[in-house]
Amino acid sequence: MTTTNPLGVHALVWVGDTAPASVATAISQTEAAGYDLLELSLHDLGNLDTASARTQLEAAGLAVACSRGLAFDADVSSEDPQVVARGARLLQESLAATSALGGRIFTGALYSALGKYPHAVTSAGRANAVTVIRELAVEAARHGVTLGLEICNRYETNVVNTARDALRLADDIGEDNVMIHLDTYHMNIEEDDFVRPVLDVADRLGYVHIGENHRGYLGSGHLDFTGFFHALADIGYAGPITFESFSSSVVAKGLSDDLAVWRDLWDDGFDLATHARAFMANQLAAPGGARAA
């Protein structure tokens, strides 16, 4: 089934790192499952061979997007200048890797550490994040890369939890190549519904993660995917829609713990991913869906 939106899958559905053999597996599986785009997490950046990965991606006819989170010792929303500087360096290195891969989207919780904070973000810390991302956006523009502000739930960041939070942050950053990244898993925790946030973001939406409320098989939970896809159609969204799910059967223990994967809802990534692709394509093709519109 042909769709107008590029359909993507997160590499952590296939593999837990970006070592050469793992990247080769992720690319071959993504191509075999019929996707258009592979999202690579740059948490394992030191093992990533960007030149080889780009050659393989191009041979497979796949686009690539990159994402990452930050640790607390590299938190750009910290008040500690050394911690902020460490995070800024990691973001710049990740941007360079995105460009080297041929990617045009670098997204994620770029504005803070990924984890539970013991307090609300401070005004000084938020200002640090704004400065770092503004500088990152200026550099990204030189490479033709757009930055995404992924909206995450309260247990994973204290900076951006709702679409309106993200819009305010993007306004403060003030660069044209900073867009909003919606994720249905996080929306289920923080938003009132699945329609108004899409309409609020409108043409500033640049990337979408599709995930169930429990991050298992799409359609096996309680999320209002019909309303969400209809809202995407209402704003004429034509950007990537990427499936994201995690299982400790694939993800290494450290990252699995960071993501709070305490129970596995799947152990066959290929079955999960082919099911997800069909689910998303059907939503797009249905009357009122983004493709039908």
Side-chain angles (χ1 to χ4, degrees):
M1 180 181 295
T2 302
T3 63
T4 53
N5 297 83
L7 294 181
V9 61
H10 199 293
L12 291 178
V13 169
W14 311 118
V15 294
D17 57 50
T18 54
S22 296
V23 170
T25 296
I27 291 171
S28 64
Q29 292 289 85
T30 299
E31 181 184 17
Y35 282 91
D36 309 301
L37 177 148
L38 175 64
E39 179 180 330
L40 285 172
S41 171
L42 301 182
H43 68 280
D44 185 45
L45 184 56
N47 285 323
L48 179 61
D49 182 338
T50 55
S52 175
R54 180 170 184 162
T55 297
Q56 293 176 71
L57 286 161
E58 291 175 350
L62 293 174
V64 64
C66 294
S67 60
R68 77 162 301 138
L70 295 170
F72 282 101
D73 66 356
D75 178 4
V76 297
S77 70
S78 170
E79 293 187 355
D80 184 328
Q82 291 184 327
V83 171
V84 173
R86 190 177 299 119
R89 285 194 299 272
L90 279 175
L91 291 176
Q92 290 286 350
E93 290 168 3
S94 298
L95 170 62
T98 301
S99 179
L101 287 164
R104 292 293 174 261
I105 293 173
F106 175 40
T107 187
L110 308 180
Y111 44 75
S112 77
L114 190 66
K116 174 70 168 61
Y117 281 81
H119 53 73
V121 66
T122 66
S123 58
R126 187 181 183 280
N128 285 337
V130 167
T131 297
V132 168
I133 299 174
R134 182 183 295 134
E135 293 171 353
L136 185 70
V138 170
E139 180 64 20
R142 297 190 182 105
H143 297 276
V145 173
T146 297
L147 302 182
L149 302 177
E150 181 175 9
I151 303 159
C152 296
N153 70 76
R154 68 189 72 186
Y155 307 111
E156 296 186 16
T157 181
N158 62 357
V159 177
V160 171
N161 299 138
T162 68
R164 292 183 182 181
D165 288 342
L167 288 168
R168 285 190 289 269
L169 185 64
D171 285 344
D172 290 344
I173 294 165
E175 297 295 332
D176 292 339
N177 62 327
V178 175
M179 54 78 171
I180 310 302
H181 171 171
L182 291 176
D183 182 313
T184 58
Y185 169 80
H186 299 294
M187 290 173 69
N188 177 59
I189 299 172
E190 299 294 347
E191 304 284 6
D192 295 335
D193 59 50
F194 281 78
V195 173
R196 280 181 292 179
V198 177
L199 303 183
D200 285 344
V201 174
D203 61 1
R204 298 173 75 177
L205 182 62
Y207 200 72
V208 169
H209 270 164
I210 295 292
E212 258 297 355
N213 61 282
H214 48 40
R215 282 187 161 144
Y217 277 77
L218 296 182
S220 66
H222 65 246
L223 297 194
D224 178 21
F225 286 119
T226 298
F228 182 72
F229 276 89
H230 284 185
L232 293 180
D234 288 344
I235 67 167
Y237 178 68
I241 301 175
T242 295
F243 173 62
E244 182 181 47
S245 183
F246 309 115
S247 170
S248 64
S249 64
V250 172
V251 180
K253 178 173 171 47
L255 183 57
S256 184
D257 289 348
D258 289 344
L259 295 168
V261 182
W262 310 137
R263 61 192 177 100
D264 290 338
L265 297 177
W266 56 270
D267 58 13
D268 184 338
F270 194 81
D271 186 68
L272 176 85
T274 52
H275 175 275
R277 194 202 177 284
F279 184 95
M280 294 187 293
N282 287 336
Q283 287 283 346
L284 289 169
R291 178 174 176 249

